[in-house]
Amino acid sequence: FVREMFFAGRVRMQIVFIILLGICAIYDLRSKTIPAMWIWGILGFTIVYRLTIIISGQGTITNSLLCLIPGIFLLIISRCGKLVGSGDGWLIIAEGLFWEWTLLICVLVYSFLAAGLFSIGYLIMGHRDRKETIPFVPFLFVGMLIFVIGDLM
């Protein structure tokens, strides 16, 4: 019974997170920026979620800290140039707080594959040059959807 309750709660949290990330993806598509209130809202949501996971004994602090590494890495890269935006880094930190380490890697692989395939398709079709940037949060959204749908099946 407890396992079923935990699974049902996890699915609800995934739905909330997907909705929040979807809103950020729409902002990123429209303007290539995400309002700070959405980023901080998602971070707050995932911090509370991660704390409940740790307190309930379902996760560890060590795993939680490991999950922050990809997002921190992207934040550092965003400070060095314009390859990625800081919003991407903060949202990947939020994803790190939401997923366990191995699940985070799966979501990020799906996200980067989707972004790469999209970019290749656009280059082949001649719509963009290689210097133009694309918003990344929509691909985080797609990567998360692929993972969650695959997890539920």
Side-chain angles (χ1 to χ4, degrees):
F1 177 73
V2 172
R3 179 178 277 181
E4 290 172 9
M5 290 287 290
F6 181 75
F7 179 75
R10 190 180 98 198
V11 170
R12 281 188 217 108
M13 297 301 275
Q14 288 174 349
I15 291 169
V16 170
F17 192 55
I18 286 170
I19 290 168
L20 293 172
L21 195 60
I23 291 168
C24 289
I26 291 167
Y27 275 109
D28 202 21
L29 276 171
R30 289 184 177 171
S31 64
K32 293 187 184 175
T33 60
I34 303 159
M37 74 171 205
W38 285 104
I39 292 173
W40 295 117
I42 288 177
L43 280 169
F45 170 78
T46 56
I47 288 168
V48 169
Y49 179 73
R50 176 54 59 182
L51 288 174
T52 59
I53 296 268
I54 292 169
I55 290 168
S56 69
Q58 300 291 326
T60 65
I61 293 173
T62 304
N63 188 21
S64 301
L65 293 174
L66 279 174
C67 290
L68 299 177
I69 292 172
I72 291 170
F73 179 71
L74 281 180
L75 276 178
I76 292 169
I77 290 174
S78 75
R79 299 290 180 215
C80 296
K82 284 292 182 192
L83 295 175
V84 294
S86 61
D88 299 329
W90 285 113
L91 288 174
I92 290 175
I93 286 175
E95 290 230 15
L97 290 167
F98 194 80
W99 300 106
E100 296 297 317
W101 175 248
T102 53
L103 304 180
L104 172 66
I105 297 302
C106 290
V107 170
L108 291 177
V109 166
Y110 292 142
S111 301
F112 283 112
L113 280 173
L117 291 173
F118 175 83
S119 298
I120 290 169
Y122 254 55
L123 284 173
I124 289 171
M125 295 174 79
H127 288 287
R128 299 181 184 251
D129 66 33
R130 295 192 310 171
K131 301 281 185 195
E132 190 169 343
T133 61
I134 60 170
F136 184 65
V137 177
F139 299 107
L140 282 176
F141 177 72
V142 167
M144 187 169 171
L145 274 179
I146 291 168
F147 179 78
V148 168
I149 290 169
D151 189 38
L152 292 175
M153 291 184 159

